[in-house]
Amino acid sequence: MNARRVFALLAGVTAVLLGLVVAVGTGRDGRQDLAASAPVPTGAQETPGIEEEPVVPAAAEEWVGAWSAAPAGSEPGTRDGLPDQTIRNVVRASVGGSSTRVELSNRYGTRPVTFTHVTVALAESGGPAARPGSMRDVTFGEFTSVTIPAGGSVVSDPVDLPVTAGADLLVTVYAPDPSGPVTYHHIALEPVYVARGDVADATSGTGFKQDGESWRYVTGVHVLSQDTDGAVVVLGDPLTDGLDSPPGANRRWTDILARRLRQTPDAPALAVLNQGISGNRLLSDALPGHESRGVSGLRRLPTDVLAQPGVRTVVIQLGVNDIVGQPRQTDPDAIVAGLRTLAEQARAEGLHVVGATLAPFGGHSAYSEELERIRQQVNAAIRAGGVFDAVADFDAALRDPAVPQRMLPLYDSGDGLHPNDAGYEAMARAVDLGALLGGAERTL
């Protein structure tokens, strides 16, 4: 049992004995966890005069992230928020549990936002309708209303809503009054629905209309589980975000990895949390006018990885955009140093670190022999060892053996840089499931 799990158990015992409500600040995100930890089961009491068989206590339930999305920026055209509108987000849980919590973020807001009605429900098959009998009101410190300050986020009280692995959930929020810009994840590849007025607890989808494919305000769903070994968090760019994959299909490579973990006998019972941001770079923040590409990967570790409940492993899939994007990073040593810094920081927090090689982009408009040389030097350093604890060789999984600087045409979405669904499948299949929880440095 690692230090994080021991700490979680001790925190749970303390919370139960003292009846505390715990508030936790996490980096810039200023997250508040308004719910006490779950009680830890106790062993049986001894009976005087009777020799009893040793009792093996039941495994303790722990909170683990089942789904996540990285807040990437403020949504254009929402200077005053979306007042008097109900927003319904669709998300998919990678693992199941007996209870549910919801995380909401105002990280990129400029003013506090007050939600007076928040609900969570199991989704009916497709669209904004909820499964009958599954609609639940969400509370925060036992209040139905919550105000999140600018730059902050909040985790709800536990909700009595059992969730199965692979289930789609509806997370619905209603803010009656104007606020600042909406914190969102731009490339959700899932429909978001809106309706006028407060209809957050509406089971029927009547009155909702689709309004884009971005997740608004919701950044996490946690489940209480005794059946998981923790979570793998993937810190990545568009290849992790699933750019060019069909909306609503859940065919990102992380979705496929989650299914493999669920369906493969003896695989570790791990949640998969996708923290990819399209356009994201390792070394530099998004340029003005492109804020939805997020801050640099070097700045994202505390809020987007370490804050995830149950995190055991981080997969770092970053660096290509530093080479092909403007301004271009032409020093391979700078990219390797950035990757090493992230890995060292993650290890210092007790995480196992898997790093991905940089995928080929020979068919992209930005390609040049000089940029290919930089990519090859970064990949050589990653494969040589000493940067990560393990390596997922996405370059080898995606490249054309006959023209290794290019992606195999079967895997190319058409722009030479981003994979199609077959490419995302190849990436997920390239990961050795047994190596995700640690061990000797190796290539997956």
Side-chain angles (χ1 to χ4, degrees):
M1 183 175 293
N2 66 19
R4 285 178 170 270
R5 293 170 71 87
V6 172
F7 178 79
L9 291 175
L10 292 176
V13 172
T14 302
V16 171
L17 293 177
L18 299 180
L20 295 178
V21 174
V22 182
V24 180
T26 308
R28 178 177 175 230
D29 210 17
R31 187 174 84 178
Q32 287 185 299
D33 185 348
L34 299 178
S37 302
V40 179
T42 58
Q45 300 295 316
E46 293 185 1
T47 303
I50 298 178
E51 184 176 345
E52 297 186 352
E53 293 292 326
V55 175
V56 178
E61 289 189 304
E62 296 182 22
W63 288 104
V64 63
W67 171 87
S68 73
S74 58
E75 184 174 2
T78 63
R79 183 187 63 182
D80 297 320
L82 293 171
D84 197 32
Q85 295 188 62
T86 297
I87 304 166
R88 180 159 287 181
N89 301 276
V90 183
V91 306
R92 175 163 291 185
S94 61
V95 294
S98 59
S99 299
T100 306
R101 297 190 313 200
V102 171
E103 181 178 9
L104 305 176
S105 177
N106 191 28
R107 185 185 296 183
Y108 292 98
T110 56
R111 288 181 282 164
V113 59
T114 297
F115 298 109
T116 57
H117 200 179
V118 179
T119 63
V120 62
L122 300 176
E124 196 64 280
S125 54
R131 189 179 304 175
S134 71
M135 183 64 67
R136 302 287 190 274
D137 285 327
V138 177
T139 60
F140 302 85
E142 301 185 355
F143 293 96
T144 58
S145 179
V146 64
T147 298
I148 309 176
S153 67
V154 67
V155 176
S156 75
D157 300 331
V159 180
D160 183 17
L161 179 66
V163 173
T164 58
D168 286 336
L169 302 174
L170 305 176
V171 180
T172 308
V173 299
Y174 171 75
D177 302 316
S179 60
V182 173
T183 292
Y184 82 140
H185 183 92
H186 180 36
I187 308 293
L189 300 176
E190 289 286 353
V192 60
Y193 301 96
V194 298
R196 283 290 176 187
D198 180 4
V199 290
D201 59 359
T203 300
S204 168
T206 304
F208 284 94
K209 64 177 182 179
Q210 184 174 342
D211 186 33
E213 295 171 353
S214 300
W215 285 306
R216 291 168 172 159
Y217 292 118
V218 61
T219 53
V221 172
H222 314 155
V223 295
L224 188 62
S225 175
Q226 63 181 19
D227 300 322
T228 63
D229 297 319
V232 174
V233 180
V234 184
L235 189 70
D237 58 28
L239 274 68
T240 292
D241 209 12
L243 189 67
D244 291 329
S245 186
N250 290 289
R251 293 176 186 167
R252 308 165 192 85
W253 76 265
T254 52
D255 298 320
I256 301 167
L257 177 62
R259 289 195 288 272
R260 288 189 62 210
L261 286 165
R262 293 196 298 267
Q263 296 169 0
T264 304
D266 301 322
L270 291 167
V272 179
L273 302 180
N274 186 318
Q275 293 292 93
I277 299 177
S278 291
N280 198 230
R281 298 167 67 118
L282 171 68
L283 301 177
S284 57
D285 297 346
L287 295 174
H290 299 280
E291 286 81 3
S292 67
R293 296 176 181 177
V295 299
S296 73
L298 286 174
R299 295 176 56 191
R300 293 176 57 202
L301 189 74
T303 53
D304 292 356
V305 177
L306 301 180
Q308 303 301 325
V311 57
R312 300 279 302 279
T313 298
V314 59
V315 178
I316 299 172
Q317 183 275 306
L318 288 168
V320 168
N321 283 333
D322 295 78
I323 299 174
V324 302
Q326 294 287 356
R328 289 177 179 147
Q329 176 54 253
T330 58
D331 182 1
D333 291 339
I335 296 173
V336 173
L339 294 172
R340 182 176 285 110
T341 295
L342 268 180
E344 290 172 350
Q345 291 174 347
R347 284 194 203 99
E349 297 293 332
L351 301 188
H352 178 60
V353 185
V354 178
T357 53
L358 309 191
F361 56 87
H364 190 257
S365 59
Y367 176 82
S368 71
E369 291 185 1
E370 173 62 16
L371 297 185
E372 174 65 8
R373 181 188 64 81
I374 296 166
R375 185 183 76 91
Q376 291 289 358
Q377 288 185 320
V378 172
N379 283 348
I382 291 173
R383 293 186 179 111
V387 180
F388 301 115
D389 302 323
V391 176
D393 201 339
F394 290 160
D395 172 39
L398 293 172
R399 70 192 177 204
D400 186 339
V403 191
Q405 69 270 27
R406 299 177 67 99
M407 194 176 297
L408 192 70
L410 177 66
Y411 297 153
D412 191 349
S413 68
D415 66 1
L417 176 62
H418 302 105
N420 58 20
D421 285 357
Y424 288 132
E425 176 88 18
M427 291 171 68
R429 296 287 173 188
V431 177
D432 180 352
L433 305 183
L436 287 175
L437 278 179
E441 183 173 289
R442 57 180 298 184
T443 297
L444 305 183

